[in-house]
Amino acid sequence: MMDELDDIIDLSPEEIDDLYQRVFAISVKLMNNGEKPLNLAGVLLAQAMRLYRTCLSEEDFLLMVEAITDTAKDVPAYNLDDIAVDSTTVH
């Protein structure tokens, strides 16, 4: 499990942003192909929780869930009109 923690620690802010943008582009493509944003969000959240559960100790997993809950109010919403784009452009 520590190998995975070391991997994320080794990522630069630019690498984290690149990964975020690649996953975001896939999400936009899925929504453009008719997937509903709430369905997509549910699947992404479920996958994230399973990955955290797999890679973290029980204590760290619960701390992560607590951190997510504590910062939920700070998460900005997307403007869905801005992300309903063609397959070559991601805002």
Side-chain angles (χ1 to χ4, degrees), residues 54-68:
T54 300
C55 297
L56 299 174
S57 68
E58 179 70 15
E59 179 182 354
D60 288 341
F61 173 77
L62 294 174
L63 287 170
M64 179 62 74
V65 172
E66 184 178 332
I68 292 167

Side-chain angles (χ1 to χ4, degrees), residues 1-2 8 10 14 26 37 58 62-64 75 81 83 86:
M1 281 190 260
M2 281 305 295
I8 196 164
D10 289 339
E14 294 81 16
I26 293 167
E58 179 70 15
L62 294 174
L63 287 170
M64 179 62 74
V75 176
D81 293 332
I83 63 172
D86 66 37

Side-chain angles (χ1 to χ4, degrees), residues 73-84:
K73 64 186 173 303
D74 302 324
V75 176
Y78 289 118
N79 181 337
L80 292 179
D81 293 332
D82 288 345
I83 63 172

Side-chain angles (χ1 to χ4, degrees), residues 7 12 16 20 32 37 39 43 48 52 55 70 75 77 82 86 88:
D7 288 346
S12 70
I16 293 170
Y20 179 94
N32 283 339
N39 294 342
V43 168
Y52 284 136
C55 297
D70 290 347
V75 176
D82 288 345
D86 66 37
T88 60

